[in-house]
Amino acid sequence: MEEDPSNGGNSSSNLETSKADKAVWLMKCPVVVAKSWKSYHTSSPDSTPLAKVVLSLDPLQSDDPSALQFTMEMSRTETGNVPKSYSLNMFKDFVPMGVFSETPQGRVAMEGKVEHKFDMKPHEENIEEYSKLCRERTNKSMIKNRQIQVINNDCGVNMRPMPGMLGLISSGSKDKKKIQPVKQSDVKRTRRDRGELEDIMFKLFERQPNWALKQLVQETDQPAQFLKEILNELCVYNKRGTNQGTYELKPEYKKTAEDTGAD
């Protein structure tokens, strides 16, 4: 974007960038926590804190960033097994990101750039409760909401068309969908044993020396791709001449077929 000098250094007249350099934290939280915060914000629109973050530091290892430990204490949780205490795993190696906001009037503002990224998970002492909550949520999602209604009148009177509706129901053959016959190519064929299929192929080539692939598929009722594999081993494909587009046995297999026929 080109800077607009008249806008105080903003990137665009529609983008507020006064907070672009502000450091913010990005946190990935469980679904139950997000729902709890959302319901709390709806029921209590005041500025009461949702949670507090506690930073623990070992004075003997103050220069080691890995010695920093972050925990979060929820100020209020819903009834149930929602854990109240969480640990925050901090990451510094991530793709640079920014935070943006948009007002109902369509004004977009950059609220800052992400300095730290956290993954939020329950403390070890709350893992069992959290696992129970996840199981309950899974079981609840598996409950089918569809219901079957039993009709007391099983004579079918209520399902018959009224006299005035008979003209609205088309019984002509034009409106009926024609049943399309299943194409032979759409039928799923089962592969035969390879040795058995080779014997069948030899007998077919005894009957006539040249066959097209389509003819062999009809004769053997085998998948075309499987037949091609066999044909590539046993036959030569004629690309030109009077027998163009057909297969014939290789010379070494022709002799075998002739000997078999003579026997």
Side-chain angles (χ1 to χ4, degrees), residues 16-152:
E16 174 63 40
T17 58
S18 60
K19 300 179 182 179
D21 294 330
K22 181 181 178 181
V24 296
W25 291 1
L26 177 65
M27 184 180 66
K28 181 181 179 182
C29 64
V31 178
V32 290
V33 176
K35 289 183 177 180
S36 178
W37 285 348
K38 187 176 182 180
S39 62
Y40 181 67
H41 177 71
T42 304
S43 59
S44 304
D46 54 4
S47 58
T48 305
L50 296 174
K52 65 177 181 179
V53 178
V54 180
L55 171 60
S56 302
L57 175 63
D58 187 355
L60 300 178
Q61 299 179 355
S62 58
D63 296 334
D64 186 6
S66 61
L68 300 177
Q69 293 184 356
F70 294 87
T71 58
M72 177 176 287
E73 298 290 337
M74 302 277 289
S75 60
R76 186 182 78 100
T77 58
E78 297 176 344
T79 57
N81 299 315
V82 180
K84 190 175 181 180
S85 180
Y86 296 84
S87 61
L88 304 179
N89 297 329
M90 184 177 67
F91 299 92
K92 287 188 176 181
D93 186 14
F94 55 88
V95 178
M97 290 179 285
V99 179
F100 296 85
S101 64
E102 184 178 4
T103 63
Q105 293 76 21
R107 186 172 181 81
V108 182
M110 185 172 183
E111 301 295 339
K113 58 183 179 181
V114 177
E115 182 181 31
H116 297 306
K117 180 181 177 184
F118 295 89
D119 280 348
M120 183 178 180
K121 69 176 184 178
H123 272 311
E124 293 182 0
E125 59 267 18
N126 297 324
I127 287 294
E128 186 175 351
E129 293 182 357
Y130 184 71
S131 300
K132 184 178 179 181
L133 178 66
C134 292
R135 288 194 298 270
E136 291 176 356
R137 188 175 60 200
T138 303
N139 294 334
K140 187 177 180 180
S141 65
M142 296 175 64
I143 299 176
K144 296 181 179 180
N145 297 325
R146 290 184 294 178
Q147 297 179 352
I148 299 176
Q149 183 178 0
V150 180
I151 301 175
N152 295 327

